[in-house]
Amino acid sequence: MSQNRQIRDVVFVDGVRTPFGRAGEKGIYANTRADDLVVKCIRELMRRNPSLPAERIDDVAIAATTQTGDQGLTIGRTAALLAGLPQSVPGFAIDRMCAGAMTAVTTTASGIGFGAYDVVIAGGVEHMGHHPMGAGADPNPRFMSERIVDPAALNMGNTAENLHDRFPAITKERTDAYAVASQDKLAAAYVADKIQPDLVPVATMKPSAGWTVNTVDEPPRPGTTLEDLAALRTPFRAHGRVTAGNAAGLNDGATAALLASADAAEELGLPVKMRLVNYAFAGVAPEVMGIGPVPATEKALRLAGLTIEDIGLFEINEAFAVQVLSFLDHFGIADDDPRVNRYGGAIAVGHPLASSGVRLMNQLARQFEEDHTVQYGITTMCIGLGMGATVIWENPHFSPAATTPEGSAA
C-alpha cells in the first residue's frame, strides 16, 4: 500500500577539495592516485564535522568521467573503505562527464528529499594526467556514419569554436578580457583567504624533489595580461578564437560535499551552508555543448518558480570563456557583473572534469556566508556531448535588512 510522502528539505553542510593540479608528468599529482585524492576529501569532511558519527552516512557517491584504473572499481565504495568509513556505508560511481560531481549531489539529494537517506557524501575526481579525456573510449561508429552527431561534438575545443560562429558578437577580445578577469578575481580571492579554507593539503612525492605538501592550486597564472593571451595559438582552428588562455586547462583534483536533510543536520549539530531549491539538466546539440547551461537554467528557474532577476550570485563553470559569455548574453548580464564568479573560475583555477561541480558549490557557499543580502544563487555548467546542468541554492543567512560585504545597505 502506498504512503503519502512529504519531500524533505536538503541542505549543503560542507564541501572540500584538493588543490587542483596541472595534468601531466610535471604536475603535482603525477605520482598520486586518483582514489587517494578522494580519500583525502572524505577524511577532511569527517575531521571538520566531528559531531557526525561515521555510521550515520547513508551513501557515498563519487563521479569520474574515465572509470578505469585508479578511477575505477566503483570508486564511491572503494574510496569510502579506504577513508576508514564503516563497512556498513555503501557507495557507488557515477558519470555525467563535467557535471559528474554535480550529478552525484543532485542524485543523492533526491534520495534525501525522498527519505531514503539522512546524510550522504557526494563528490568527484578527475586525474587527467593518468586518464586523458576520452582515453580508452570507443565511440560507436554510427555517431559519424549516420551523422547522429556533428564530428565537432567529440572535441570540446571545436564545440567552443562553433559557439563563436553562432554568436559573432562574442569576439576573441571579449573572451580574452573575461579570462584575464577570472585570473585577477582568483588572485584577489587568494589574498583575501576566500579559497584556502576549503582546500585539503595533499602530500605528494616526486623522485627528483622528495615529499611536498601542496596547499594551493597549481594552474592559476596571476598577472596574466591581454597581451599575453593575444599571443597564444588557436589549436582547434587556424585563425580561431579559442586558446589555452581563454579556456580551462587539463587538470587533476578531487572534491567532496556533505549533504543532509534539514532535520538530520539539526539533530547532529551540523552547519547549514545552503539549502537546495531545485535543479535541472537539459540536452542541446552536441556540437555547441557550451550553450547547455542556458536551457538547464531556464528549466530550473521554471521548476523553482523563480526568474533570473531573483538570482543574486552565479557560479558558472568556465570550461571556455565563450561558453560563459553566451550564457550572460542570453540573460542580459554584463561581462563584468559582480554577481558572476566573484572568486574567479575554472579558466584560472582549473577544471578536473567530474570534480568541478562541488568546487562551484563550495565557492557559492562561501559567498553566501559573507553576503547576507543575497537570497538565491546558482551553480551551472556545460557538459560534453551536449548537455547543461543547473542547481539553485538558497542562502540560509539571507536577511533583507543586511548590508553588503562592503558595508553599505542592501
mmCIF file of all heavy atoms in Angstrom, residues 309-348:
data_model
loop_
_atom_site.group_PDB
_atom_site.id
_atom_site.type_symbol
_atom_site.label_atom_id
_atom_site.label_comp_id
_atom_site.label_asym_id
_atom_site.label_seq_id
_atom_site.Cartn_x
_atom_site.Cartn_y
_atom_site.Cartn_z
ATOM 1 N N GLU A 309 16.071 37.333 -12.459
ATOM 2 C CA GLU A 309 16.260 38.517 -11.615
ATOM 3 C C GLU A 309 16.329 38.160 -10.137
ATOM 4 O O GLU A 309 16.810 38.948 -9.325
ATOM 5 C CB GLU A 309 15.136 39.527 -11.854
ATOM 6 C CG GLU A 309 15.204 40.259 -13.185
ATOM 7 C CD GLU A 309 14.806 39.385 -14.368
ATOM 8 O OE1 GLU A 309 14.046 38.406 -14.160
ATOM 9 O OE2 GLU A 309 15.246 39.672 -15.497
ATOM 10 N N ASP A 310 15.827 36.981 -9.761
ATOM 11 C CA ASP A 310 15.881 36.551 -8.360
ATOM 12 C C ASP A 310 17.259 36.036 -7.948
ATOM 13 O O ASP A 310 17.523 35.852 -6.756
ATOM 14 C CB ASP A 310 14.858 35.440 -8.106
ATOM 15 C CG ASP A 310 13.424 35.908 -8.252
ATOM 16 O OD1 ASP A 310 13.104 36.977 -7.702
ATOM 17 O OD2 ASP A 310 12.629 35.208 -8.920
ATOM 18 N N ILE A 311 18.119 35.781 -8.927
ATOM 19 C CA ILE A 311 19.410 35.171 -8.632
ATOM 20 C C ILE A 311 20.439 36.250 -8.309
ATOM 21 O O ILE A 311 20.743 37.114 -9.127
ATOM 22 C CB ILE A 311 19.899 34.313 -9.817
ATOM 23 C CG1 ILE A 311 18.823 33.280 -10.188
ATOM 24 C CG2 ILE A 311 21.215 33.641 -9.463
ATOM 25 C CD1 ILE A 311 18.405 32.357 -9.063
ATOM 26 N N GLY A 312 20.989 36.172 -7.113
ATOM 27 C CA GLY A 312 21.935 37.189 -6.662
ATOM 28 C C GLY A 312 23.386 36.824 -6.843
ATOM 29 O O GLY A 312 24.267 37.690 -6.758
ATOM 30 N N LEU A 313 23.679 35.530 -7.070
ATOM 31 C CA LEU A 313 25.053 35.088 -7.284
ATOM 32 C C LEU A 313 25.068 33.961 -8.306
ATOM 33 O O LEU A 313 24.194 33.084 -8.279
ATOM 34 C CB LEU A 313 25.693 34.599 -5.975
ATOM 35 C CG LEU A 313 26.065 35.665 -4.942
ATOM 36 C CD1 LEU A 313 26.411 35.005 -3.604
ATOM 37 C CD2 LEU A 313 27.233 36.515 -5.429
ATOM 38 N N PHE A 314 26.049 33.989 -9.178
ATOM 39 C CA PHE A 314 26.200 32.962 -10.206
ATOM 40 C C PHE A 314 27.587 32.330 -10.087
ATOM 41 O O PHE A 314 28.594 33.046 -10.108
ATOM 42 C CB PHE A 314 26.072 33.568 -11.613
ATOM 43 C CG PHE A 314 24.729 34.161 -11.922
ATOM 44 C CD1 PHE A 314 24.416 35.454 -11.533
ATOM 45 C CD2 PHE A 314 23.771 33.426 -12.623
ATOM 46 C CE1 PHE A 314 23.184 36.020 -11.821
ATOM 47 C CE2 PHE A 314 22.536 33.985 -12.924
ATOM 48 C CZ PHE A 314 22.231 35.273 -12.525
ATOM 49 N N GLU A 315 27.622 31.017 -9.961
ATOM 50 C CA GLU A 315 28.879 30.277 -10.095
ATOM 51 C C GLU A 315 28.767 29.462 -11.378
ATOM 52 O O GLU A 315 28.081 28.435 -11.422
ATOM 53 C CB GLU A 315 29.134 29.389 -8.877
ATOM 54 C CG GLU A 315 29.784 30.107 -7.714
ATOM 55 C CD GLU A 315 31.200 30.599 -8.046
ATOM 56 O OE1 GLU A 315 31.933 29.863 -8.732
ATOM 57 O OE2 GLU A 315 31.557 31.713 -7.623
ATOM 58 N N ILE A 316 29.418 29.933 -12.429
ATOM 59 C CA ILE A 316 29.335 29.332 -13.761
ATOM 60 C C ILE A 316 30.678 28.677 -14.071
ATOM 61 O O ILE A 316 31.720 29.351 -14.046
ATOM 62 C CB ILE A 316 29.018 30.396 -14.829
ATOM 63 C CG1 ILE A 316 27.787 31.220 -14.430
ATOM 64 C CG2 ILE A 316 28.811 29.746 -16.188
ATOM 65 C CD1 ILE A 316 27.541 32.435 -15.309
ATOM 66 N N ASN A 317 30.665 27.396 -14.351
ATOM 67 C CA ASN A 317 31.927 26.744 -14.668
ATOM 68 C C ASN A 317 32.487 27.295 -15.979
ATOM 69 O O ASN A 317 31.788 27.379 -16.985
ATOM 70 C CB ASN A 317 31.742 25.234 -14.787
ATOM 71 C CG ASN A 317 33.070 24.515 -14.844
ATOM 72 O OD1 ASN A 317 33.944 24.761 -14.014
ATOM 73 N ND2 ASN A 317 33.234 23.626 -15.802
ATOM 74 N N GLU A 318 33.749 27.646 -15.944
ATOM 75 C CA GLU A 318 34.384 28.279 -17.098
ATOM 76 C C GLU A 318 35.164 27.252 -17.922
ATOM 77 O O GLU A 318 36.394 27.298 -18.002
ATOM 78 C CB GLU A 318 35.324 29.388 -16.632
ATOM 79 C CG GLU A 318 34.624 30.529 -15.912
ATOM 80 C CD GLU A 318 35.591 31.513 -15.265
ATOM 81 O OE1 GLU A 318 36.807 31.254 -15.275
ATOM 82 O OE2 GLU A 318 35.124 32.531 -14.740
ATOM 83 N N ALA A 319 34.445 26.325 -18.558
ATOM 84 C CA ALA A 319 35.146 25.426 -19.465
ATOM 85 C C ALA A 319 35.790 26.240 -20.584
ATOM 86 O O ALA A 319 36.942 26.003 -20.965
ATOM 87 C CB ALA A 319 34.178 24.396 -20.041
ATOM 88 N N PHE A 320 35.048 27.209 -21.098
ATOM 89 C CA PHE A 320 35.535 28.137 -22.116
ATOM 90 C C PHE A 320 34.895 29.495 -21.838
ATOM 91 O O PHE A 320 33.723 29.572 -21.454
ATOM 92 C CB PHE A 320 35.144 27.676 -23.525
ATOM 93 C CG PHE A 320 35.678 26.330 -23.905
ATOM 94 C CD1 PHE A 320 34.905 25.191 -23.719
ATOM 95 C CD2 PHE A 320 36.949 26.193 -24.448
ATOM 96 C CE1 PHE A 320 35.387 23.938 -24.058
ATOM 97 C CE2 PHE A 320 37.442 24.945 -24.795
ATOM 98 C CZ PHE A 320 36.668 23.817 -24.599
ATOM 99 N N ALA A 321 35.649 30.556 -22.063
ATOM 100 C CA ALA A 321 35.091 31.888 -21.852
ATOM 101 C C ALA A 321 33.883 32.130 -22.743
ATOM 102 O O ALA A 321 32.893 32.737 -22.317
ATOM 103 C CB ALA A 321 36.159 32.952 -22.098
ATOM 104 N N VAL A 322 33.924 31.658 -23.990
ATOM 105 C CA VAL A 322 32.804 31.878 -24.904
ATOM 106 C C VAL A 322 31.530 31.232 -24.372
ATOM 107 O O VAL A 322 30.425 31.754 -24.575
ATOM 108 C CB VAL A 322 33.141 31.371 -26.324
ATOM 109 C CG1 VAL A 322 33.359 29.863 -26.352
ATOM 110 C CG2 VAL A 322 32.044 31.769 -27.305
ATOM 111 N N GLN A 323 31.677 30.114 -23.683
ATOM 112 C CA GLN A 323 30.510 29.433 -23.128
ATOM 113 C C GLN A 323 29.870 30.272 -22.019
ATOM 114 O O GLN A 323 28.644 30.413 -21.944
ATOM 115 C CB GLN A 323 30.927 28.050 -22.619
ATOM 116 C CG GLN A 323 30.073 27.438 -21.543
ATOM 117 C CD GLN A 323 30.856 27.348 -20.236
ATOM 118 O OE1 GLN A 323 32.028 26.976 -20.215
ATOM 119 N NE2 GLN A 323 30.187 27.686 -19.144
ATOM 120 N N VAL A 324 30.688 30.863 -21.162
ATOM 121 C CA VAL A 324 30.146 31.721 -20.102
ATOM 122 C C VAL A 324 29.489 32.956 -20.707
ATOM 123 O O VAL A 324 28.388 33.356 -20.312
ATOM 124 C CB VAL A 324 31.256 32.135 -19.117
ATOM 125 C CG1 VAL A 324 30.689 33.040 -18.030
ATOM 126 C CG2 VAL A 324 31.907 30.912 -18.496
ATOM 127 N N LEU A 325 30.151 33.563 -21.680
ATOM 128 C CA LEU A 325 29.620 34.789 -22.270
ATOM 129 C C LEU A 325 28.332 34.537 -23.037
ATOM 130 O O LEU A 325 27.445 35.411 -23.068
ATOM 131 C CB LEU A 325 30.672 35.425 -23.174
ATOM 132 C CG LEU A 325 31.922 35.939 -22.444
ATOM 133 C CD1 LEU A 325 32.964 36.415 -23.433
ATOM 134 C CD2 LEU A 325 31.557 37.045 -21.462
ATOM 135 N N SER A 326 28.180 33.362 -23.633
ATOM 136 C CA SER A 326 26.918 33.059 -24.312
ATOM 137 C C SER A 326 25.781 32.985 -23.306
ATOM 138 O O SER A 326 24.648 33.401 -23.599
ATOM 139 C CB SER A 326 27.033 31.755 -25.107
ATOM 140 O OG SER A 326 27.173 30.631 -24.255
ATOM 141 N N PHE A 327 26.060 32.476 -22.126
ATOM 142 C CA PHE A 327 25.067 32.436 -21.045
ATOM 143 C C PHE A 327 24.720 33.851 -20.592
ATOM 144 O O PHE A 327 23.540 34.213 -20.471
ATOM 145 C CB PHE A 327 25.636 31.621 -19.885
ATOM 146 C CG PHE A 327 24.746 31.533 -18.666
ATOM 147 C CD1 PHE A 327 23.889 30.460 -18.491
ATOM 148 C CD2 PHE A 327 24.784 32.508 -17.684
ATOM 149 C CE1 PHE A 327 23.083 30.369 -17.370
ATOM 150 C CE2 PHE A 327 23.977 32.435 -16.557
ATOM 151 C CZ PHE A 327 23.123 31.354 -16.393
ATOM 152 N N LEU A 328 25.736 34.655 -20.342
ATOM 153 C CA LEU A 328 25.493 36.017 -19.868
ATOM 154 C C LEU A 328 24.715 36.829 -20.896
ATOM 155 O O LEU A 328 23.775 37.559 -20.545
ATOM 156 C CB LEU A 328 26.825 36.695 -19.546
ATOM 157 C CG LEU A 328 27.676 36.045 -18.444
ATOM 158 C CD1 LEU A 328 28.943 36.862 -18.205
ATOM 159 C CD2 LEU A 328 26.890 35.892 -17.147
ATOM 160 N N ASP A 329 25.087 36.713 -22.163
ATOM 161 C CA ASP A 329 24.376 37.463 -23.202
ATOM 162 C C ASP A 329 22.913 37.035 -23.278
ATOM 163 O O ASP A 329 22.016 37.876 -23.461
ATOM 164 C CB ASP A 329 25.045 37.251 -24.557
ATOM 165 C CG ASP A 329 26.323 38.056 -24.723
ATOM 166 O OD1 ASP A 329 26.684 38.793 -23.780
ATOM 167 O OD2 ASP A 329 26.963 37.941 -25.789
ATOM 168 N N HIS A 330 22.658 35.740 -23.158
ATOM 169 C CA HIS A 330 21.279 35.257 -23.252
ATOM 170 C C HIS A 330 20.407 35.886 -22.178
ATOM 171 O O HIS A 330 19.243 36.238 -22.437
ATOM 172 C CB HIS A 330 21.256 33.731 -23.123
ATOM 173 C CG HIS A 330 19.871 33.156 -23.171
ATOM 174 N ND1 HIS A 330 19.227 32.844 -24.358
ATOM 175 C CD2 HIS A 330 18.983 32.851 -22.176
ATOM 176 C CE1 HIS A 330 18.023 32.377 -24.085
ATOM 177 N NE2 HIS A 330 17.849 32.364 -22.783
ATOM 178 N N PHE A 331 20.955 36.017 -20.988
ATOM 179 C CA PHE A 331 20.154 36.533 -19.873
ATOM 180 C C PHE A 331 20.343 38.028 -19.640
ATOM 181 O O PHE A 331 19.831 38.572 -18.668
ATOM 182 C CB PHE A 331 20.485 35.763 -18.593
ATOM 183 C CG PHE A 331 19.957 34.346 -18.580
ATOM 184 C CD1 PHE A 331 20.818 33.277 -18.708
ATOM 185 C CD2 PHE A 331 18.595 34.102 -18.478
ATOM 186 C CE1 PHE A 331 20.339 31.966 -18.704
ATOM 187 C CE2 PHE A 331 18.102 32.803 -18.476
ATOM 188 C CZ PHE A 331 18.972 31.728 -18.594
ATOM 189 N N GLY A 332 21.067 38.706 -20.541
ATOM 190 C CA GLY A 332 21.236 40.146 -20.419
ATOM 191 C C GLY A 332 22.098 40.560 -19.249
ATOM 192 O O GLY A 332 21.855 41.610 -18.625
ATOM 193 N N ILE A 333 23.125 39.777 -18.952
ATOM 194 C CA ILE A 333 24.032 40.048 -17.839
ATOM 195 C C ILE A 333 25.358 40.544 -18.400
ATOM 196 O O ILE A 333 25.897 39.971 -19.343
ATOM 197 C CB ILE A 333 24.248 38.776 -16.997
ATOM 198 C CG1 ILE A 333 22.907 38.279 -16.434
ATOM 199 C CG2 ILE A 333 25.232 39.020 -15.864
ATOM 200 C CD1 ILE A 333 22.979 36.902 -15.796
ATOM 201 N N ALA A 334 25.898 41.595 -17.827
ATOM 202 C CA ALA A 334 27.147 42.179 -18.318
ATOM 203 C C ALA A 334 28.326 41.241 -18.076
ATOM 204 O O ALA A 334 28.325 40.451 -17.116
ATOM 205 C CB ALA A 334 27.401 43.525 -17.642
ATOM 206 N N ASP A 335 29.349 41.361 -18.924
ATOM 207 C CA ASP A 335 30.541 40.522 -18.785
ATOM 208 C C ASP A 335 31.181 40.663 -17.407
ATOM 209 O O ASP A 335 31.738 39.702 -16.873
ATOM 210 C CB ASP A 335 31.582 40.892 -19.842
ATOM 211 C CG ASP A 335 31.121 40.611 -21.268
ATOM 212 O OD1 ASP A 335 29.941 40.255 -21.451
ATOM 213 O OD2 ASP A 335 31.946 40.765 -22.188
ATOM 214 N N ASP A 336 31.130 41.870 -16.852
ATOM 215 C CA ASP A 336 31.794 42.139 -15.577
ATOM 216 C C ASP A 336 30.806 42.284 -14.425
ATOM 217 O O ASP A 336 31.115 42.915 -13.402
ATOM 218 C CB ASP A 336 32.654 43.399 -15.684
ATOM 219 C CG ASP A 336 31.839 44.638 -16.056
ATOM 220 O OD1 ASP A 336 30.646 44.497 -16.385
ATOM 221 O OD2 ASP A 336 32.405 45.748 -16.037
ATOM 222 N N ASP A 337 29.632 41.686 -14.551
ATOM 223 C CA ASP A 337 28.630 41.765 -13.483
ATOM 224 C C ASP A 337 29.227 41.200 -12.193
ATOM 225 O O ASP A 337 29.738 40.071 -12.175
ATOM 226 C CB ASP A 337 27.380 40.971 -13.882
ATOM 227 C CG ASP A 337 26.206 41.228 -12.954
ATOM 228 O OD1 ASP A 337 26.333 40.993 -11.734
ATOM 229 O OD2 ASP A 337 25.144 41.661 -13.445
ATOM 230 N N PRO A 338 29.165 41.944 -11.087
ATOM 231 C CA PRO A 338 29.794 41.488 -9.830
ATOM 232 C C PRO A 338 29.118 40.273 -9.206
ATOM 233 O O PRO A 338 29.664 39.699 -8.257
ATOM 234 C CB PRO A 338 29.686 42.717 -8.920
ATOM 235 C CG PRO A 338 28.547 43.508 -9.476
ATOM 236 C CD PRO A 338 28.586 43.295 -10.957
ATOM 237 N N ARG A 339 27.971 39.861 -9.730
ATOM 238 C CA ARG A 339 27.322 38.658 -9.209
ATOM 239 C C ARG A 339 27.941 37.381 -9.757
ATOM 240 O O ARG A 339 27.674 36.292 -9.232
ATOM 241 C CB ARG A 339 25.831 38.669 -9.571
ATOM 242 C CG ARG A 339 25.012 39.805 -8.978
ATOM 243 C CD ARG A 339 23.591 39.788 -9.537
ATOM 244 N NE ARG A 339 23.587 40.034 -10.981
ATOM 245 C CZ ARG A 339 22.520 39.848 -11.767
ATOM 246 N NH1 ARG A 339 21.394 39.377 -11.264
ATOM 247 N NH2 ARG A 339 22.596 40.123 -13.060
ATOM 248 N N VAL A 340 28.769 37.500 -10.775
ATOM 249 C CA VAL A 340 29.244 36.328 -11.517
ATOM 250 C C VAL A 340 30.668 35.959 -11.099
ATOM 251 O O VAL A 340 31.591 36.775 -11.198
ATOM 252 C CB VAL A 340 29.204 36.603 -13.036
ATOM 253 C CG1 VAL A 340 29.772 35.414 -13.814
ATOM 254 C CG2 VAL A 340 27.771 36.903 -13.482
ATOM 255 N N ASN A 341 30.829 34.732 -10.617
ATOM 256 C CA ASN A 341 32.158 34.167 -10.329
ATOM 257 C C ASN A 341 33.049 35.152 -9.581
ATOM 258 O O ASN A 341 34.148 35.507 -10.035
ATOM 259 C CB ASN A 341 32.824 33.712 -11.622
ATOM 260 C CG ASN A 341 32.134 32.511 -12.250
ATOM 261 O OD1 ASN A 341 31.077 32.075 -11.801
ATOM 262 N ND2 ASN A 341 32.728 31.964 -13.297
ATOM 263 N N ARG A 342 32.592 35.564 -8.416
ATOM 264 C CA ARG A 342 33.313 36.582 -7.651
ATOM 265 C C ARG A 342 34.735 36.164 -7.309
ATOM 266 O O ARG A 342 35.615 37.002 -7.137
ATOM 267 C CB ARG A 342 32.555 36.883 -6.352
ATOM 268 C CG ARG A 342 31.303 37.710 -6.539
ATOM 269 C CD ARG A 342 30.657 38.053 -5.210
ATOM 270 N NE ARG A 342 29.517 38.943 -5.410
ATOM 271 C CZ ARG A 342 28.729 39.371 -4.420
ATOM 272 N NH1 ARG A 342 28.951 38.973 -3.173
ATOM 273 N NH2 ARG A 342 27.718 40.174 -4.681
ATOM 274 N N TYR A 343 34.953 34.871 -7.133
ATOM 275 C CA TYR A 343 36.291 34.386 -6.768
ATOM 276 C C TYR A 343 37.061 33.864 -7.983
ATOM 277 O O TYR A 343 38.050 33.157 -7.836
ATOM 278 C CB TYR A 343 36.180 33.248 -5.756
ATOM 279 C CG TYR A 343 35.539 33.576 -4.440
ATOM 280 C CD1 TYR A 343 35.169 32.563 -3.566
ATOM 281 C CD2 TYR A 343 35.299 34.895 -4.036
ATOM 282 C CE1 TYR A 343 34.591 32.836 -2.345
ATOM 283 C CE2 TYR A 343 34.706 35.169 -2.818
ATOM 284 C CZ TYR A 343 34.353 34.139 -1.975
ATOM 285 O OH TYR A 343 33.777 34.410 -0.760
ATOM 286 N N GLY A 344 36.643 34.218 -9.182
ATOM 287 C CA GLY A 344 37.262 33.655 -10.378
ATOM 288 C C GLY A 344 36.681 32.293 -10.681
ATOM 289 O O GLY A 344 35.788 31.799 -9.984
ATOM 290 N N GLY A 345 37.180 31.679 -11.762
ATOM 291 C CA GLY A 345 36.592 30.409 -12.166
ATOM 292 C C GLY A 345 37.613 29.456 -12.742
ATOM 293 O O GLY A 345 38.823 29.592 -12.548
ATOM 294 N N ALA A 346 37.105 28.482 -13.502
ATOM 295 C CA ALA A 346 37.929 27.376 -13.965
ATOM 296 C C ALA A 346 39.027 27.798 -14.921
ATOM 297 O O ALA A 346 40.051 27.118 -15.026
ATOM 298 C CB ALA A 346 37.050 26.314 -14.626
ATOM 299 N N ILE A 347 38.853 28.901 -15.647
ATOM 300 C CA ILE A 347 39.926 29.371 -16.518
ATOM 301 C C ILE A 347 41.190 29.615 -15.702
ATOM 302 O O ILE A 347 42.307 29.356 -16.159
ATOM 303 C CB ILE A 347 39.489 30.641 -17.274
ATOM 304 C CG1 ILE A 347 38.441 30.288 -18.327
ATOM 305 C CG2 ILE A 347 40.681 31.341 -17.916
ATOM 306 C CD1 ILE A 347 37.815 31.483 -19.008
ATOM 307 N N ALA A 348 41.010 30.077 -14.475
ATOM 308 C CA ALA A 348 42.151 30.342 -13.596
ATOM 309 C C ALA A 348 42.490 29.148 -12.713
ATOM 310 O O ALA A 348 43.650 28.732 -12.626
ATOM 311 C CB ALA A 348 41.859 31.566 -12.728
#
